Amino acid sequence: MDDFHRDTWAEIDLDAIYDNVANLRRFLPTGTNIMAVVKANAYGHGDAEVANTALEAGASYLAVAFLDEALALRKKGLAAPILVLGASRPEDVSLAAEHRIALTVFRLDWLEKAAALYQGSAPVYFHLKMDTGMGRLGVKDERETKQMAALIERHPHFILEGVYTHFATADEINTDYFSYQYDRFLSMLEWLPFRPPLVHCANSAATLRFPDRAFNMVRFGISMYGLAPSPSIKPLLPYELKEAFSLHSRLVHVKKLQPGEKVSYGATYTAQAEEWIGTIPIGYADGWLRRLQHFHVLVDGKKAPIVGRVCMDQCMIRLPGPLPVGTKVTLIGRQGDEVISIDDVARHLDTINYEVPCLISYRVPRIFFRNKRIMEVRNAVGRVGTNA
Ligand SMILES: Cc1ncc(COP(=O)(O)O)c(CNc2conc2O)c1O
């Protein structure tokens, strides 16, 4: 376990991760596999710890965005199959094969380059991505699809393990475009000479809303972390999700301001009366963005407004009264009857909940709880740029 020397930390409740996946396991038809999406350091929650917990709870596959993230999981001892959802380089096919990492393929020219460059004898697993309307990555042409399937079939070491697509609007109430994409996927699947072993299309929203249209694997991301894919479909979710991420700090300075005294850069905040002001060691370099000025935190079980500009490493809050240095402050999570959810922070930032935990940077240590006890502490400070 790492130690850390600044009183700001994130707590990851792996019991919540476990329950979110175990509940999905119970919710899905037996033959539907669960692919745990752990890209971007598991949406800021800690890639290896979340991956291990998800696998324990019934996931059988992992997904990341880029090859480096998959290699990092292998280095951390994860042995489960991993799919790279994003683009990779044709010259990295050997590296992927060596580590049993499946790659997404969606261009014939890429596949031809990979075939020309691959000198290995280990099997190379591909998932062919079809663009049914997300407009990001994916093949759209029948002839190109057939040529790609034929090339893979001809190659002695290439294996078409899966085929998939990604929905643009599964988290919206109106299902017109979702249905268009689903139907498009059904017809594009007919372009293949055979059905690969794994066919998948559903992200969290599609999984939880339309489990009967998930084929035989789902790609479970945001709701594994206990977050609804969007506020509009939150009431439609089939079971309660448990939020896994919380964020805490401690008062490092407390002072009383007289009326007219100022706080922070730009002296934009002026005390209106005698006010108790606390300083906490978290700022925008930790992902606690400047736009969170005027938002609030919890201290002594009460809401406390963030006053003055958020600095790179610190910010100031107006306290309900004199409190001792060292008092715990909760920026995301619960104190007594008061809760600040990730959705609350996202709403204030006018963004989506996905972005909030992803923003909490490497500089904030993560403490992992399993069975209500600390099972790991990760402090990446000092590791960035070295072999972790
Ligand atoms: C291809 C693909 N599959 C599955 C998921 C998981 O989706 P979920 O977290 O809604 O369950 C994502 C998430 N990708 C992104 C989420 O936000 N921006 C993205 O690019 C994805 O890009």
Side-chain angles (χ1 to χ4, degrees):
M1 283 196 203
D2 297 341
D3 54 6
F4 58 94
H5 307 88
R6 170 194 43 163
D7 283 331
T8 293
W9 67 99
E11 293 183 7
I12 312 302
D13 179 356
L14 294 173
D15 296 341
I17 301 285
Y18 183 94
D19 290 348
N20 294 329
V21 176
N23 286 335
L24 178 69
R25 181 66 283 155
R26 280 188 284 273
F27 170 73
L28 285 174
T30 318
T32 309
N33 299 289
I34 299 173
M35 174 184 270
V37 183
V38 291
K39 60 190 178 128
N41 192 28
Y43 296 26
H45 291 67
D47 55 357
E49 292 78 9
V50 168
N52 279 314
T53 306
L55 293 166
E56 204 187 308
S60 55
Y61 218 110
L62 303 172
V64 294
F66 306 120
L67 180 56
D68 287 323
E69 292 179 322
L71 294 169
L73 284 172
R74 287 282 184 259
K75 211 184 278 183
K76 293 174 184 176
L78 276 296
I82 305 175
L83 171 62
V84 175
L85 297 170
S88 46
R89 300 172 184 153
E91 57 268 29
D92 288 336
V93 160
S94 312
L95 187 57
E98 196 185 313
H99 294 277
R100 200 333 188 170
I101 296 165
L103 299 178
T104 289
V105 63
F106 52 90
R107 294 181 61 93
L108 176 61
D109 56 0
W110 185 98
L111 196 56
E112 287 167 342
K113 260 187 224 142
L117 290 168
Y118 188 58
Q119 303 296 319
S121 55
V124 188
Y125 294 89
F126 290 111
H127 287 224
L128 190 147
K129 184 162 192 187
M130 296 180 156
D131 183 359
T132 55
M134 173 69 185
R136 189 169 63 179
L137 297 180
V139 68
K140 293 176 73 174
D141 177 80
E142 179 171 0
R143 187 161 174 274
E144 185 175 8
T145 303
K146 289 185 184 310
Q147 287 174 305
M148 289 168 73
L151 189 161
I152 292 172
E153 219 173 345
R154 272 197 317 273
H155 195 286
H157 304 301
F158 284 6
I159 295 170
L160 188 60
E161 181 188 46
V163 59
Y164 74 104
T165 193
H166 192 49
F167 294 122
T169 64
D171 63 346
E172 296 181 6
I173 291 293
N174 182 304
T175 58
D176 293 351
Y177 195 70
F178 166 81
S179 301
Y180 161 76
Q181 281 194 260
Y182 180 78
D183 294 342
R184 182 97 182 103
F185 189 45
L186 285 177
S187 60
M188 288 172 80
L189 284 172
E190 296 308 308
W191 296 349
L192 293 174
F194 62 93
R195 275 280 172 100
L198 294 171
V199 182
H200 46 111
C201 64
N203 55 6
S204 292
T207 300
L208 296 171
R209 295 176 76 190
F210 316 111
D212 56 328
R213 282 186 267 180
F215 297 92
N216 64 3
M217 186 155 74
V218 297
R219 302 191 303 275
F220 200 48
I222 192 73
S223 296
M224 170 168 65
Y225 304 102
L227 300 168
S230 70
S232 59
I233 66 163
K234 199 166 186 174
L236 308 179
L237 300 183
Y239 59 85
E240 189 218 349
L241 296 172
K242 299 179 182 177
E243 205 164 315
F245 189 97
S246 61
L247 182 63
H248 310 275
S249 188
R250 292 189 185 281
L251 295 177
V252 293
H253 185 37
V254 175
K255 58 179 176 290
K256 183 160 75 170
L257 288 192
Q258 294 306 316
E261 288 193 279
K262 310 286 189 179
V263 174
S264 198
Y265 288 116
T268 59
Y269 179 78
T270 305
Q272 298 305 305
E274 277 196 355
E275 293 178 4
W276 286 95
I277 301 293
T279 302
I280 51 177
I282 184 169
Y284 63 78
D286 302 303
W288 193 253
L289 301 181
R290 296 179 77 246
R291 277 182 288 136
L292 284 163
Q293 181 177 353
H294 309 304
F295 191 56
H296 56 275
V297 297
L298 302 178
V299 63
D300 197 28
K302 302 177 190 72
K303 287 182 182 173
I306 297 168
V307 292
R309 287 181 184 163
V310 175
C311 309
M312 185 181 290
D313 319 303
Q314 305 167 87
C315 61
M316 278 60 78
I317 58 178
R318 190 175 64 234
L319 303 174
L323 290 170
V325 164
T327 302
K328 185 177 176 181
V329 177
T330 294
L331 297 96
I332 296 172
R334 172 183 291 279
Q335 279 197 8
D337 297 336
E338 291 289 351
V339 176
I340 297 176
S341 68
I342 283 181
D343 285 338
D344 295 330
V345 180
R347 197 175 308 111
H348 182 87
L349 290 174
D350 191 23
T351 187
I352 57 174
N353 54 15
Y354 294 69
E355 197 173 26
V356 175
C358 287
L359 280 174
I360 304 304
S361 75
Y362 80 97
R363 201 170 72 162
V364 176
R366 267 72 172 172
I367 302 179
F368 297 90
F369 289 78
R370 186 77 173 96
N371 300 319
K372 306 275 183 266
R373 283 198 304 274
I374 293 179
M375 58 84 81
E376 186 57 269
V377 179
R378 294 271 186 230
N379 178 6
V381 175
R383 286 235 179 84
V384 178
T386 60
N387 283 333

